[in-house]
Amino acid sequence: MVKLELREMDAGRVAVLRIENPPVNSVGSAVRVSLDEQLKAALSDASVKAVVLTGTARFFSGGADIREFNTPKAAVRPSLRELIAQIEAAEKPIVAAINGTALGGGLELTLGCHGRVADPTAKLGLPEVKLGVLPGAGGTQRLPRLIGLDAALEIIVGGEPVTAQQALEYGLVDDVDNDPVAKAIELALTIAQGVRAPRRVDHDPMDMPASAAAFDSARKNAERRYRGCIAPLEAIACVEKTLTTKLEEGLEFERDRFQYLVNGDQSKAQRHIFFAERKAAKLPSDEPADVKIRRVGVVGAGTMGGGIAMSLANAGLSVVLMEQSDAALERGWGTIVRNYETSQRRGRFTAEEVEERLARIQRSVDYADFADADLVIEAAFEDMAVKKEIFSRLDAVCRPDAILASNTSRLDIDEIAGVTSRPERVLGMHFFSPANVMRLLEVVKGAQTSNAVLAAVFGLATRIGKVPVLVGVCDGFVGNRMVSHYTREAYFLLEEGATPAQIDGALRRFGMAMGPLQMQDMAGLDISWAARKRQAPTRPAHLRYSKVADRICEMGRFGQKTGSGFYRYEPGSREPIPDPEVHALIEQCAAEAGIVRRDISDEEIVERTIFALVNEAAKIVQDGIAQRPSDIDVVYVAGYGFPMFRGGPMFYADTVGLEHVLNTIQRFHKEHGEFWTPAPLLEELVRSGRRFSDL
Ligand code: T1G
């Protein structure tokens, strides 16, 4: 919990309080009680001249214990707010030695202190908005008073941590030192001796000419980064209070808004995703990796291969990027260079960092360059014959212990593994475009893929900042298998009376990053057209099929890349413009199908598309293609733009109630036929009164 150590210094005795609560020194009820006891002991000991508060290992503190939210433990006294007020009011100087990551309530603890020293490797942040709450222990009131409005708004609304050096520049810490405890002791004693004044937060209103622009840009920043989330906007309202109210009043307002958020659906959804991502990243087997991945080959320098190569280089890995010709390689390389130059212009990387990353990528047109690779990721044309040819050649040139992975988005990994002599070292690594940005990685386990290989790839995924989700072999794995049903309903709704803009608008208002039709235009309509043509011979003739997308493709309209698809696009613009030619085509398809068009509500659009996802997802869980429903939530939030404030399709279904979801699906089953056959798992859960989150 919290240990007290007395240090005898020339200038007097100092009590060092150390938070010890692995794995991240989260401040839950037990730590609060222990810290309270140790604080009182230190402050009441007349021989103690000053106090230093610090953490252990990599963490000062990862913040309040999120698992205690909405439980009786959250109300155990003292609250974090009370502890911080006690620290702030202490007669003796209390200085924080920020030995490592200090987030949320952990950082707020330091804001009550009379000085702060950080280790050079420390990260300091208030990420609460990512959990759908706000800094609820004084962060919105003290941080602006310490470092000014603009910097505080960026930290509170952006939710991203700053480095120790940035914190020093902001004035958030007084010093950065390799021995933060020793430096903090020194600082505390100089304050005790009156040599230095304690940094006390002024309790009066900041009374500054509030640049309304500061709050307007913060709100715009919040809307851009966390569209549809209410927590960032509530946090801004709290920060605004610092201009007009005293600290105590502002703290009360902040407490009220925190309670409103922590009891709300959005925060419960976002905390669900936080824990779901960590659960997904744990493999069922604890067998360790049998190879350390340092050098990775990538076959194909197209959009995906280039993005994958960047992801790997960004994480410090050595990459061999291979194409079948110099021309293709140079085209791919040019794209990579342009992407890095854009990132550099946006300030994400310095010129040196771009050079370092590019230097990690060796270009090649020769399979022999894969001879010393630990892993090779194939990101070539989505065609089984092409992939089999590539894997045969990889099998011949790569080390026997090298792992061979395909970035295929839906093809059969077992069929690919079958052409190699090492099926136990073959799997899928399905990245999402743009691969250097999207966090999701579907790791496809083949029938013979070994646990040691899965462990190696999961370890790599975390190192390159991806969220790995273990999925099984089927057409489309998890994400794409579900998205087929989602887009099918969107196409049917077009024929039944909705326009592309209405469907996309309804789903964006629901919170999707982009509607299905605009998404199709961005991805390229020809890709799914090729899949539909491949599936045509085996498509059951009695099932309804919409010709809308095929007709659009037959007109050579493949989306943004051809200047028109479901929408049309001005040259150089990605802005979708409704196109009467498409509306006429849709009406023609409806007439041919004998469909009488009607007005369709946003609610029906959302239920027909989102419940189609939920129903198929329940079948995926039942088939064992995903380990659990929350893994599917991770797939959809991290890879398909599902709003994190709704927690993913399964959490959303639990929130609206599975009985309602099942009743609606049964109604759709009557109206629209066997596509809507309810998933037996859904029926079973409703029968037994359980939810997806009970699995
Ligand atoms: N509470 C409870 N458990 C936590 C936790 C927390 N704050 N942070 C991490 N864990 C668990 C996590 O679930 C996992 O558990 C294990 O610790 C290791 O985590 C009042 C209200 C700190 C950067 O938002 O960002 O303070 O899976 O795998 O990669 O204003 O965890 O092993 O069972 O992520 O080294 C604000 C959230 C809280 C920080 C470490 N704090 N945590 O990353 O390890 S709200 C946060 C993180 C608050 C105040 C408000 C990261 C990390 P398990 P991990 P990591």
PDB file of all heavy atoms in Angstrom, residues 98-125:
ATOM      1  N   ILE A  98       8.128  12.325  -8.908  1.00  0.00           N
ATOM      2  CA  ILE A  98       7.411  11.584  -9.945  1.00  0.00           C
ATOM      3  C   ILE A  98       8.394  10.650 -10.636  1.00  0.00           C
ATOM      4  O   ILE A  98       9.026  10.987 -11.608  1.00  0.00           O
ATOM      5  CB  ILE A  98       6.728  12.553 -10.929  1.00  0.00           C
ATOM      6  CG1 ILE A  98       5.817  13.532 -10.138  1.00  0.00           C
ATOM      7  CG2 ILE A  98       5.917  11.791 -11.966  1.00  0.00           C
ATOM      8  CD1 ILE A  98       5.224  14.650 -10.957  1.00  0.00           C
ATOM      9  N   ASN A  99       8.472   9.438 -10.070  1.00  0.00           N
ATOM     10  CA  ASN A  99       9.480   8.440 -10.487  1.00  0.00           C
ATOM     11  C   ASN A  99       9.144   7.773 -11.810  1.00  0.00           C
ATOM     12  O   ASN A  99       9.966   7.092 -12.404  1.00  0.00           O
ATOM     13  CB  ASN A  99       9.599   7.361  -9.409  1.00  0.00           C
ATOM     14  CG  ASN A  99       8.240   6.679  -9.205  1.00  0.00           C
ATOM     15  OD1 ASN A  99       7.283   7.329  -8.785  1.00  0.00           O
ATOM     16  ND2 ASN A  99       8.122   5.406  -9.565  1.00  0.00           N
ATOM     17  N   GLY A 100       7.887   7.927 -12.267  1.00  0.00           N
ATOM     18  CA  GLY A 100       7.448   7.252 -13.505  1.00  0.00           C
ATOM     19  C   GLY A 100       6.089   7.807 -13.883  1.00  0.00           C
ATOM     20  O   GLY A 100       5.700   8.896 -13.460  1.00  0.00           O
ATOM     21  N   THR A 101       5.336   7.000 -14.640  1.00  0.00           N
ATOM     22  CA  THR A 101       4.043   7.457 -15.167  1.00  0.00           C
ATOM     23  C   THR A 101       3.128   7.939 -14.055  1.00  0.00           C
ATOM     24  O   THR A 101       2.951   7.242 -13.045  1.00  0.00           O
ATOM     25  CB  THR A 101       3.388   6.308 -15.940  1.00  0.00           C
ATOM     26  OG1 THR A 101       4.226   5.982 -17.047  1.00  0.00           O
ATOM     27  CG2 THR A 101       2.014   6.672 -16.435  1.00  0.00           C
ATOM     28  N   ALA A 102       2.595   9.146 -14.238  1.00  0.00           N
ATOM     29  CA  ALA A 102       1.630   9.710 -13.267  1.00  0.00           C
ATOM     30  C   ALA A 102       0.407  10.133 -14.068  1.00  0.00           C
ATOM     31  O   ALA A 102       0.478  11.091 -14.847  1.00  0.00           O
ATOM     32  CB  ALA A 102       2.230  10.895 -12.544  1.00  0.00           C
ATOM     33  N   LEU A 103      -0.687   9.394 -13.927  1.00  0.00           N
ATOM     34  CA  LEU A 103      -1.879   9.656 -14.735  1.00  0.00           C
ATOM     35  C   LEU A 103      -3.098   9.873 -13.867  1.00  0.00           C
ATOM     36  O   LEU A 103      -3.208   9.299 -12.781  1.00  0.00           O
ATOM     37  CB  LEU A 103      -2.144   8.480 -15.684  1.00  0.00           C
ATOM     38  CG  LEU A 103      -1.063   8.202 -16.727  1.00  0.00           C
ATOM     39  CD1 LEU A 103      -1.418   6.945 -17.520  1.00  0.00           C
ATOM     40  CD2 LEU A 103      -0.856   9.379 -17.664  1.00  0.00           C
ATOM     41  N   GLY A 104      -4.026  10.666 -14.342  1.00  0.00           N
ATOM     42  CA  GLY A 104      -5.310  10.838 -13.681  1.00  0.00           C
ATOM     43  C   GLY A 104      -5.140  11.264 -12.241  1.00  0.00           C
ATOM     44  O   GLY A 104      -4.393  12.207 -11.946  1.00  0.00           O
ATOM     45  N   GLY A 105      -5.815  10.529 -11.351  1.00  0.00           N
ATOM     46  CA  GLY A 105      -5.734  10.866  -9.930  1.00  0.00           C
ATOM     47  C   GLY A 105      -4.307  10.824  -9.419  1.00  0.00           C
ATOM     48  O   GLY A 105      -3.976  11.500  -8.450  1.00  0.00           O
ATOM     49  N   GLY A 106      -3.448  10.046 -10.073  1.00  0.00           N
ATOM     50  CA  GLY A 106      -2.037  10.005  -9.673  1.00  0.00           C
ATOM     51  C   GLY A 106      -1.408  11.366  -9.887  1.00  0.00           C
ATOM     52  O   GLY A 106      -0.738  11.929  -8.997  1.00  0.00           O
ATOM     53  N   LEU A 107      -1.665  11.967 -11.052  1.00  0.00           N
ATOM     54  CA  LEU A 107      -1.116  13.304 -11.299  1.00  0.00           C
ATOM     55  C   LEU A 107      -1.807  14.328 -10.412  1.00  0.00           C
ATOM     56  O   LEU A 107      -1.171  15.235  -9.870  1.00  0.00           O
ATOM     57  CB  LEU A 107      -1.274  13.681 -12.775  1.00  0.00           C
ATOM     58  CG  LEU A 107      -0.706  15.044 -13.154  1.00  0.00           C
ATOM     59  CD1 LEU A 107       0.811  15.084 -12.915  1.00  0.00           C
ATOM     60  CD2 LEU A 107      -0.996  15.399 -14.603  1.00  0.00           C
ATOM     61  N   GLU A 108      -3.097  14.159 -10.200  1.00  0.00           N
ATOM     62  CA  GLU A 108      -3.831  15.113  -9.357  1.00  0.00           C
ATOM     63  C   GLU A 108      -3.263  15.136  -7.938  1.00  0.00           C
ATOM     64  O   GLU A 108      -3.220  16.177  -7.304  1.00  0.00           O
ATOM     65  CB  GLU A 108      -5.321  14.780  -9.356  1.00  0.00           C
ATOM     66  CG  GLU A 108      -5.990  15.084 -10.692  1.00  0.00           C
ATOM     67  CD  GLU A 108      -7.419  14.610 -10.747  1.00  0.00           C
ATOM     68  OE1 GLU A 108      -7.637  13.392 -10.621  1.00  0.00           O
ATOM     69  OE2 GLU A 108      -8.313  15.438 -10.926  1.00  0.00           O
ATOM     70  N   LEU A 109      -2.815  13.963  -7.448  1.00  0.00           N
ATOM     71  CA  LEU A 109      -2.170  13.925  -6.121  1.00  0.00           C
ATOM     72  C   LEU A 109      -0.992  14.891  -6.100  1.00  0.00           C
ATOM     73  O   LEU A 109      -0.788  15.643  -5.144  1.00  0.00           O
ATOM     74  CB  LEU A 109      -1.656  12.511  -5.835  1.00  0.00           C
ATOM     75  CG  LEU A 109      -2.512  11.580  -4.986  1.00  0.00           C
ATOM     76  CD1 LEU A 109      -1.845  10.213  -4.904  1.00  0.00           C
ATOM     77  CD2 LEU A 109      -2.742  12.151  -3.591  1.00  0.00           C
ATOM     78  N   THR A 110      -0.220  14.918  -7.177  1.00  0.00           N
ATOM     79  CA  THR A 110       0.985  15.766  -7.187  1.00  0.00           C
ATOM     80  C   THR A 110       0.606  17.245  -7.260  1.00  0.00           C
ATOM     81  O   THR A 110       1.363  18.101  -6.841  1.00  0.00           O
ATOM     82  CB  THR A 110       1.905  15.442  -8.381  1.00  0.00           C
ATOM     83  OG1 THR A 110       1.313  15.966  -9.580  1.00  0.00           O
ATOM     84  CG2 THR A 110       2.120  13.948  -8.547  1.00  0.00           C
ATOM     85  N   LEU A 111      -0.590  17.543  -7.794  1.00  0.00           N
ATOM     86  CA  LEU A 111      -0.983  18.956  -7.949  1.00  0.00           C
ATOM     87  C   LEU A 111      -1.273  19.598  -6.594  1.00  0.00           C
ATOM     88  O   LEU A 111      -1.216  20.813  -6.436  1.00  0.00           O
ATOM     89  CB  LEU A 111      -2.206  19.089  -8.862  1.00  0.00           C
ATOM     90  CG  LEU A 111      -2.057  18.574 -10.283  1.00  0.00           C
ATOM     91  CD1 LEU A 111      -3.319  18.833 -11.092  1.00  0.00           C
ATOM     92  CD2 LEU A 111      -0.849  19.200 -10.975  1.00  0.00           C
ATOM     93  N   GLY A 112      -1.572  18.757  -5.587  1.00  0.00           N
ATOM     94  CA  GLY A 112      -1.800  19.276  -4.236  1.00  0.00           C
ATOM     95  C   GLY A 112      -0.489  19.494  -3.505  1.00  0.00           C
ATOM     96  O   GLY A 112      -0.420  20.180  -2.489  1.00  0.00           O
ATOM     97  N   CYS A 113       0.600  18.925  -4.075  1.00  0.00           N
ATOM     98  CA  CYS A 113       1.893  19.047  -3.401  1.00  0.00           C
ATOM     99  C   CYS A 113       2.480  20.455  -3.575  1.00  0.00           C
ATOM    100  O   CYS A 113       2.020  21.221  -4.410  1.00  0.00           O
ATOM    101  CB  CYS A 113       2.865  18.011  -3.965  1.00  0.00           C
ATOM    102  SG  CYS A 113       2.377  16.314  -3.565  1.00  0.00           S
ATOM    103  N   HIS A 114       3.540  20.752  -2.800  1.00  0.00           N
ATOM    104  CA  HIS A 114       4.123  22.106  -2.807  1.00  0.00           C
ATOM    105  C   HIS A 114       5.300  22.214  -3.754  1.00  0.00           C
ATOM    106  O   HIS A 114       6.002  23.227  -3.783  1.00  0.00           O
ATOM    107  CB  HIS A 114       4.538  22.463  -1.378  1.00  0.00           C
ATOM    108  CG  HIS A 114       3.437  22.204  -0.395  1.00  0.00           C
ATOM    109  ND1 HIS A 114       3.560  21.367   0.695  1.00  0.00           N
ATOM    110  CD2 HIS A 114       2.136  22.589  -0.404  1.00  0.00           C
ATOM    111  CE1 HIS A 114       2.409  21.293   1.345  1.00  0.00           C
ATOM    112  NE2 HIS A 114       1.524  22.028   0.709  1.00  0.00           N
ATOM    113  N   GLY A 115       5.537  21.123  -4.482  1.00  0.00           N
ATOM    114  CA  GLY A 115       6.598  21.105  -5.496  1.00  0.00           C
ATOM    115  C   GLY A 115       6.584  19.744  -6.160  1.00  0.00           C
ATOM    116  O   GLY A 115       6.008  18.783  -5.613  1.00  0.00           O
ATOM    117  N   ARG A 116       7.182  19.665  -7.345  1.00  0.00           N
ATOM    118  CA  ARG A 116       7.153  18.429  -8.113  1.00  0.00           C
ATOM    119  C   ARG A 116       8.478  18.270  -8.836  1.00  0.00           C
ATOM    120  O   ARG A 116       8.941  19.200  -9.495  1.00  0.00           O
ATOM    121  CB  ARG A 116       6.009  18.453  -9.135  1.00  0.00           C
ATOM    122  CG  ARG A 116       4.615  18.251  -8.546  1.00  0.00           C
ATOM    123  CD  ARG A 116       3.531  18.779  -9.455  1.00  0.00           C
ATOM    124  NE  ARG A 116       3.590  20.247  -9.472  1.00  0.00           N
ATOM    125  CZ  ARG A 116       3.044  21.019  -8.542  1.00  0.00           C
ATOM    126  NH1 ARG A 116       2.414  20.471  -7.493  1.00  0.00           N
ATOM    127  NH2 ARG A 116       3.139  22.331  -8.608  1.00  0.00           N
ATOM    128  N   VAL A 117       9.075  17.069  -8.709  1.00  0.00           N
ATOM    129  CA  VAL A 117      10.297  16.718  -9.443  1.00  0.00           C
ATOM    130  C   VAL A 117       9.989  15.462 -10.241  1.00  0.00           C
ATOM    131  O   VAL A 117       9.366  14.538  -9.709  1.00  0.00           O
ATOM    132  CB  VAL A 117      11.470  16.446  -8.482  1.00  0.00           C
ATOM    133  CG1 VAL A 117      12.709  16.017  -9.271  1.00  0.00           C
ATOM    134  CG2 VAL A 117      11.769  17.673  -7.612  1.00  0.00           C
ATOM    135  N   ALA A 118      10.398  15.440 -11.515  1.00  0.00           N
ATOM    136  CA  ALA A 118      10.070  14.271 -12.347  1.00  0.00           C
ATOM    137  C   ALA A 118      11.330  13.579 -12.828  1.00  0.00           C
ATOM    138  O   ALA A 118      12.347  14.221 -13.115  1.00  0.00           O
ATOM    139  CB  ALA A 118       9.237  14.710 -13.551  1.00  0.00           C
ATOM    140  N   ASP A 119      11.221  12.260 -12.932  1.00  0.00           N
ATOM    141  CA  ASP A 119      12.275  11.471 -13.567  1.00  0.00           C
ATOM    142  C   ASP A 119      12.225  11.795 -15.063  1.00  0.00           C
ATOM    143  O   ASP A 119      11.133  12.008 -15.609  1.00  0.00           O
ATOM    144  CB  ASP A 119      11.983   9.980 -13.334  1.00  0.00           C
ATOM    145  CG  ASP A 119      13.052   9.097 -13.924  1.00  0.00           C
ATOM    146  OD1 ASP A 119      13.007   8.888 -15.163  1.00  0.00           O
ATOM    147  OD2 ASP A 119      13.908   8.634 -13.172  1.00  0.00           O
ATOM    148  N   PRO A 120      13.362  11.797 -15.761  1.00  0.00           N
ATOM    149  CA  PRO A 120      13.346  12.126 -17.193  1.00  0.00           C
ATOM    150  C   PRO A 120      12.445  11.222 -18.019  1.00  0.00           C
ATOM    151  O   PRO A 120      11.910  11.634 -19.032  1.00  0.00           O
ATOM    152  CB  PRO A 120      14.806  11.956 -17.609  1.00  0.00           C
ATOM    153  CG  PRO A 120      15.588  12.081 -16.353  1.00  0.00           C
ATOM    154  CD  PRO A 120      14.718  11.568 -15.254  1.00  0.00           C
ATOM    155  N   THR A 121      12.218   9.994 -17.548  1.00  0.00           N
ATOM    156  CA  THR A 121      11.384   9.057 -18.333  1.00  0.00           C
ATOM    157  C   THR A 121       9.905   9.156 -17.963  1.00  0.00           C
ATOM    158  O   THR A 121       9.069   8.484 -18.547  1.00  0.00           O
ATOM    159  CB  THR A 121      11.821   7.605 -18.038  1.00  0.00           C
ATOM    160  OG1 THR A 121      11.557   7.347 -16.636  1.00  0.00           O
ATOM    161  CG2 THR A 121      13.288   7.387 -18.324  1.00  0.00           C
ATOM    162  N   ALA A 122       9.567  10.002 -17.003  1.00  0.00           N
ATOM    163  CA  ALA A 122       8.168  10.043 -16.524  1.00  0.00           C
ATOM    164  C   ALA A 122       7.232  10.590 -17.595  1.00  0.00           C
ATOM    165  O   ALA A 122       7.614  11.407 -18.430  1.00  0.00           O
ATOM    166  CB  ALA A 122       8.088  10.919 -15.278  1.00  0.00           C
ATOM    167  N   LYS A 123       6.010  10.069 -17.565  1.00  0.00           N
ATOM    168  CA  LYS A 123       4.934  10.575 -18.425  1.00  0.00           C
ATOM    169  C   LYS A 123       3.839  11.099 -17.491  1.00  0.00           C
ATOM    170  O   LYS A 123       3.496  10.422 -16.505  1.00  0.00           O
ATOM    171  CB  LYS A 123       4.352   9.458 -19.296  1.00  0.00           C
ATOM    172  CG  LYS A 123       5.310   8.928 -20.359  1.00  0.00           C
ATOM    173  CD  LYS A 123       5.205   9.772 -21.625  1.00  0.00           C
ATOM    174  CE  LYS A 123       5.889   9.144 -22.821  1.00  0.00           C
ATOM    175  NZ  LYS A 123       7.278   8.739 -22.642  1.00  0.00           N
ATOM    176  N   LEU A 124       3.321  12.283 -17.785  1.00  0.00           N
ATOM    177  CA  LEU A 124       2.321  12.900 -16.917  1.00  0.00           C
ATOM    178  C   LEU A 124       1.075  13.223 -17.741  1.00  0.00           C
ATOM    179  O   LEU A 124       1.178  13.841 -18.800  1.00  0.00           O
ATOM    180  CB  LEU A 124       2.861  14.191 -16.307  1.00  0.00           C
ATOM    181  CG  LEU A 124       4.108  14.098 -15.433  1.00  0.00           C
ATOM    182  CD1 LEU A 124       5.395  14.073 -16.268  1.00  0.00           C
ATOM    183  CD2 LEU A 124       4.197  15.265 -14.468  1.00  0.00           C
ATOM    184  N   GLY A 125      -0.108  12.804 -17.266  1.00  0.00           N
ATOM    185  CA  GLY A 125      -1.298  13.069 -18.074  1.00  0.00           C
ATOM    186  C   GLY A 125      -2.581  12.932 -17.289  1.00  0.00           C
ATOM    187  O   GLY A 125      -2.604  12.391 -16.186  1.00  0.00           O
TER     188      GLY A 125
END
